[in-house]
Amino acid sequence: MVMMERVTPPPQRAGTRKVAAYARISMETDRTPKSLSAQISHYSELIQSTPGWEYAGVFADSGISGTTTNRPQFQSMLDCARTGEIDLILTKSISRFARNTVDLLETIRELKTLGVEVRFEKENISTFSADGELVLTLLASFAQAESEQISQNVKWRVRKGFEQGKANGFHLYGYTDSADATDVEIVEAEAEVVRLVYRNYLANISCEQTAAQLEADGVRSRAGEPIRPETLRSWLRMETYTGTLTLGRWVKGRLGEHSKPNTGEADMYRVENAIPAIIDHETFQAVQEERTRRRSLGARANKAIPTTTFTHMVYCLACEKYYRSSVNVAYDGSRRRKWVCATNREKGHGCASKRIPQPSLEQVVCEALNLEAFNEDVFAKLVQRIDVPDSDTAIVVLKNGTTSTHTLHYPSYRKDHWNTPGYRERHSQKLRAYWANLTDEERATISKQRSKTRQAEPAEKKISRSNRAKAAWTPERRARQSEIAKRVNAQLGEEGRRERSRKAQQAIAADPSVAERKRRKMLDHWANPDYRASTTEAMKGSRRTTKVGE
């Protein structure tokens, strides 16, 4: 069934309209800045001289293609339109506004829903007119086709230049800029900086140290900013400094897409002795070999990074990444070093491996090398790497090619320290101080939360906790707990015990589920023959004690 409803056009704003204009040039030459300035002046004068129009600004982008909407001033104009600061946008032509049909229509439709009109002077089109979008679609398609044809022509010219050994623009620190690299000259002051970077690298001086040295000497980039270590590392792999150019390393995809590395989509050209060399081939090759050697060492090759014995030595086979160090501070101030897979260290999750304590790794090495005690020098001399296929296994790979498999052990620091003299007492004092600072309401809230948590636990966990409690309830523990209860009751006195009993009865009366849980718990206990026997024996002993006392 056909449904029809009446719709109303966008409301016409009464009174003053806030008007803005957009201008754009896609290439920066000696002439185009004047063209852009003329457009800005034209629209500024037009808007301010028209009655009923309020000047909302002129937005202009220079040197940016219209095939993308990633234009700073264009996006600023859209933001102003979204906040209601613009009612009307003037622009010279469709090609100035956008050369991508899809982007143009999406932007126009968004502005139209905001009640913002766009007028194209050259085509004499308004987006609020009845046939405005249809005409815009046709003309925008022509503009996009024209842009694509221009792009193909430019690509053809660039490829022909590559075949003749000419670059598509040349800009590199140490050389003068050039349109095709045929007239490049060395900038000696900058070239000396490049040579220093290569000398320092071969002298085992890190790029971080070299960058600090350049900063101390006042050496800056052409933009006036400090030269970063990442920039220096990129210089070390640039064969261009030997005078050799590799043309066609990047290819452009479809219209509006960014360039991407050439992986066989187009031909590449290698031109030797194309420009003057700053670095000789022997030095460049020596640096590449040193880079390869340092990559094999990982973090241990960078003197600026603090390393330990097992740095870049423990390898996770599941993630194909090395373990990293993590240090925890214990209760007594001691530092415990553990090793974590890089995946978990970076993301916090993703790898099923556990944190491996360093003593466990040392034990594995001692087993593999038949050592009584771990020795760093012997480890560095004989061991190539430790592979970890899962959380329980470690494979020690020696430099002679032999391997041995071992079991990883994870010591329980809590259990070990629980029997340390004074540890239990300190822990007990800490707990007493914590509970002493709580109010009755806070204690009740914590108790309820703990009860809810335990009720929601799976049956296996409840059974496990019950078994642990039974195993821990030794005669010595019962006697100690009995002494504590007697001491607490003596401190409370008769009145305190009555008050405690009264509060317990109130809690049961306020929440019948508490009484029901206690009843079920008692039935569960009484169903256990051992519990009945021990309770009966305790009652008999209590009666005997009472008779003797009488």
Side-chain angles (χ1 to χ4, degrees), residues 67 148 151-152 155 251-260:
T67 58
E148 291 174 347
S151 175
Q152 292 298 326
K155 290 179 181 177
V251 293
K252 194 72 177 288
R254 292 177 296 181
L255 192 65
E257 292 183 351
H258 293 290
S259 298
K260 60 181 181 180

Side-chain angles (χ1 to χ4, degrees), residues 429-440 442-443 446:
Q429 291 175 359
K430 187 185 298 183
L431 285 178
R432 283 197 292 269
Y434 171 76
W435 285 101
N437 292 328
L438 297 177
T439 63
D440 291 341
E442 290 173 335
R443 291 193 188 97
I446 293 174

Side-chain angles (χ1 to χ4, degrees), residues 223-277:
E225 299 177 352
I227 302 178
R228 303 177 61 186
E230 292 80 5
T231 303
L232 303 184
R233 276 189 278 271
S234 69
W235 292 355
L236 293 173
R237 57 177 181 267
M238 283 188 180
E239 192 181 15
T240 306
Y241 282 120
T242 65
T244 300
L245 293 180
T246 302
L247 308 177
R249 293 185 299 113
W250 298 85
V251 293
K252 194 72 177 288
R254 292 177 296 181
L255 192 65
E257 292 183 351
H258 293 290
S259 298
K260 60 181 181 180
N262 184 356
T263 57
E265 295 86 350
D267 294 333
M268 295 175 62
Y269 302 89
R270 191 169 185 273
V271 186
E272 297 183 357
N273 301 320
I275 60 174

